[in-house]
Amino acid sequence: MLYYGCMNTWPAHRVRFVVWIGIYMITVLVYGLTFNANAIPAPLVIPLALLPMVPATFAALASMDGFRAGDELERRIQSEGILFSFFVTAIVTFSYGFLEAYAHFPKLSMFLVWPLLATAWGIGTAMATRRYR
């Protein structure tokens, strides 16, 4: 389902998702500009470093609500997109892991896994949408 127009025509789960992702992005931006683990008392470093995951969790819950609100076809399309992203992400990350271990490729950050998964999810969902519509 695609929703066009102003935000008040969007379902509540989509509005919640956009709001929580916005808060997450602001939190990450502020952290990137200001977080200095050396200036924070040791017991607070881990909780503060993980603080951006609070809005990310709420965004994930809103996304799950959206999945549950979809009709049977929309759920099937999303499920196929997620399955596609699961296997693409597994193949790419394991392949690169072998290249790191045995061909001495540079180590990459785990931060790269989610963008890969999200991109593959988008591609898989687009492929499934094309097939069913």
Side-chain angles (χ1 to χ4, degrees):
M1 284 182 237
L2 294 176
Y3 296 93
Y4 298 102
C6 61
M7 285 185 67
N8 62 3
T9 62
W10 284 4
H13 62 82
R14 186 158 299 195
V15 173
R16 285 194 333 268
F17 177 81
V18 169
V19 167
W20 284 113
I21 282 295
I23 293 169
Y24 168 79
M25 289 172 24
I26 290 167
T27 305
V28 169
L29 179 64
V30 169
Y31 266 48
L33 296 174
T34 63
F35 192 86
N36 180 353
N38 296 332
I40 298 171
L44 296 178
V45 171
I46 292 174
L48 289 176
L50 293 175
L51 192 59
M53 296 315 300
V54 173
T57 300
F58 284 111
L61 293 172
S63 184
M64 290 170 55
D65 287 345
F67 181 84
R68 290 183 190 116
D71 62 17
E72 189 175 315
L73 177 60
E74 186 63 29
R75 285 182 182 201
R76 184 174 186 144
I77 289 169
Q78 288 299 320
S79 295
E80 288 188 24
I82 292 166
L83 186 64
F84 178 84
S85 71
F86 173 81
F87 285 114
V88 166
T89 302
I91 290 166
V92 170
T93 58
F94 275 75
S95 296
Y96 198 85
F98 287 123
L99 292 171
E100 278 183 353
Y102 303 114
H104 308 293
F105 273 44
K107 296 216 178 278
L108 295 179
S109 171
M110 291 295 292
F111 279 118
L112 296 174
V113 174
W114 170 243
L116 170 64
L117 187 131
T119 301
W121 182 9
I123 292 168
T125 300
M127 290 173 16
T129 299
R130 224 171 127 198
R131 182 172 341 138
Y132 291 113
R133 297 199 181 183

